[in-house]
Amino acid sequence: MIEDFWAVVPAGGAGTRLWPLSRAGSPKFLRDLRGTGRSLLQETHDRLAPLAGERIVVVTGAAHAAAVAEQLGDLPDGAILAEPSARDSMAAIGLAAALLERRDPDAVMGSFAADHVITDAEAFGAAVRTAVDVAREGWLVTLGIEPTFPSSAFGYIRSGDALPGHPGAQHVAAFVEKPSVEVATGYLAEGGYRWNAGMFVVRPKVLLDLLAQWHPRFAESLRAIAADPGSLERVWPSLPRIALDHAVAEPAAEAGRVATVPAAFDWDDIGDFDSLAELLGRDGEQPLVVLGDDDAVRVVDASGLVVTGGRTVAVVGLQDVVVVDTPDALLVTTRARAQDVKAVVAGLKESGRDDLV
């Protein structure tokens, strides 16, 4: 374990691009999307426990607190923080930071989303240990993922000079918003750019003091909740809806306060069914991959992804297809159009079909 290290796990989002498998009431972090028998949340816990032991805090919506507690039954009391409503990542991570600031003055916290896939636990642990060493000296540290293709779905970190005294760590020159594929291709050719996976390591006091520089009332409110937890319901709705990246990381990088540690491990955020098909098919030779009951799928000259839901599914003569079968909804699309699934969810909401989302 890492001394004084706390792992904070934001567990939120509905994963609308993975509908109808992921929904508001059963989001993707609570689902087993790799066929391992463990949900993404449980896999995240398994990855962090050797580094933090019982010092794991999960921040989730009130509606999911019971399900999180059921899946992570060995968490100590008080380890699950229930947000009254979704306020984006700065509020979620900031709340954990404010509580840890009072609880453990020597703490270094790392924030790791509940729905990411990282299979190389050893390389992940090595990167976190390096990041903790840097964070102890007052830096906000982010883990930078080596890009494997020119993605327009992720933001990027532009690395700067090496950080003295910390081999492998670098200054962050800037955070770059999600680019076009053409621009991202240029990033990979130029070098020095890494995907921003939203994994931050920092001392709680440093994070809140940085927040106070650009959003003083925000930081004050978070610290007030920590001082009086009974005020959570009253104060929470007044907190801004803003991501940690925008609230702190980007301005702090401009001020020279952010460092990055290159991460030497594969990483997936399973943002849509195309990325899920890629992940599930990575180690096999089958043109069509199945999540669920293989015996329920019949394939004739077809490729893509099928997620089974209890019925027999037959796919004939279709290439790069996506079929997701659930008891009350059926999705049929292609891997190329997987990002557009969110439009279906938006349409269902507009028509009042909240029962399906």
Side-chain angles (χ1 to χ4, degrees):
M1 284 190 291
I2 304 174
E3 186 177 2
D4 300 317
F5 176 65
W6 290 78
V8 175
V9 181
T16 56
R17 292 180 180 86
L18 290 171
W19 181 90
L21 191 61
S22 177
R23 311 192 192 192
S26 183
K28 68 175 181 175
F29 65 84
L30 294 173
R31 306 301 297 262
D32 173 12
L33 293 186
R34 299 204 306 124
T36 64
R38 302 283 283 172
S39 72
L40 297 183
L41 172 66
Q42 290 171 321
E43 289 188 341
T44 300
H45 175 272
D46 296 344
R47 188 165 59 247
L48 291 169
L51 306 177
E54 292 188 344
R55 296 189 299 270
I56 297 176
V57 176
V58 181
V59 189
T60 193
H64 301 132
V68 169
E70 182 178 356
Q71 289 200 1
L72 303 179
D74 55 349
L75 285 181
D77 292 342
I80 300 174
L81 304 180
E83 302 174 283
S85 61
R87 310 302 296 179
D88 219 321
S89 62
M90 187 66 252
I93 298 168
L95 175 61
L99 292 167
L100 290 176
E101 181 184 39
R102 299 180 66 86
R103 179 172 181 174
D104 184 357
D106 296 323
V108 175
M109 59 179 277
S111 173
F112 309 97
D115 55 3
H116 291 176
V117 174
I118 299 170
T119 56
D120 190 342
E122 183 175 347
F124 171 76
V128 172
R129 291 177 186 278
T130 300
V132 169
D133 288 342
V134 176
R136 291 191 198 280
E137 297 185 6
W139 293 90
L140 173 61
V141 188
T142 181
L143 302 188
I145 306 298
E146 182 70 33
T148 55
F149 63 96
S151 174
S152 61
F154 309 128
Y156 287 73
I157 302 164
R158 181 160 61 87
S159 301
D161 296 334
L163 195 67
H166 295 282
Q170 299 168 300
H171 291 272
V172 170
F175 287 88
V176 183
E177 292 291 334
K178 297 176 182 178
S180 66
V181 172
E182 182 180 5
V183 171
T185 300
Y187 289 166
L188 268 64
E190 179 181 344
Y193 286 85
R194 289 183 173 263
W195 285 338
N196 175 19
M199 291 184 280
F200 293 98
V201 181
V202 64
R203 294 177 59 194
K205 183 179 187 303
V206 170
L207 179 63
L208 293 171
D209 285 349
L210 287 171
L211 179 63
Q213 288 189 36
W214 295 283
H215 302 274
R217 293 187 62 182
F218 197 170
E220 181 182 353
S221 295
L222 290 170
R223 282 170 162 150
I225 293 172
D228 178 15
S231 68
L232 175 65
E233 294 283 349
R234 174 176 55 82
V235 177
W236 190 260
S238 69
L239 300 181
R241 294 178 182 268
I242 186 171
L244 187 153
D245 302 65
H246 301 315
V248 171
E250 292 173 2
E254 292 182 4
R257 297 291 305 276
V258 185
T260 185
V261 171
F265 51 78
D266 290 335
W267 167 84
D268 288 277
D269 78 337
I270 315 185
D272 58 29
F273 286 113
D274 179 54
S275 59
L276 179 59
E278 175 70 22
L279 177 67
L280 294 177
R282 188 170 294 163
D283 297 325
E285 299 298 328
Q286 295 298 323
L288 189 143
V289 293
V290 176
L291 179 62
D293 183 5
D294 287 277
D295 293 335
V297 180
R298 295 292 181 266
V299 182
V300 178
D301 187 26
S303 65
L305 167 71
V306 172
V307 181
T308 62
R311 296 181 291 187
T312 296
V313 177
V315 184
V316 180
L318 298 175
Q319 304 305 313
D320 290 330
V321 70
V322 173
V323 180
V324 182
D325 186 28
T326 69
D328 62 350
L330 172 67
L331 170 72
V332 181
T333 184
T334 63
R335 290 183 59 175
R337 298 295 298 273
Q339 286 276 318
D340 295 333
V341 172
K342 64 179 181 179
V344 176
V345 178
L348 289 170
K349 289 180 178 178
E350 289 177 4
S351 61
R353 293 304 307 271
D354 292 341
D355 59 308
L356 290 176
V357 298

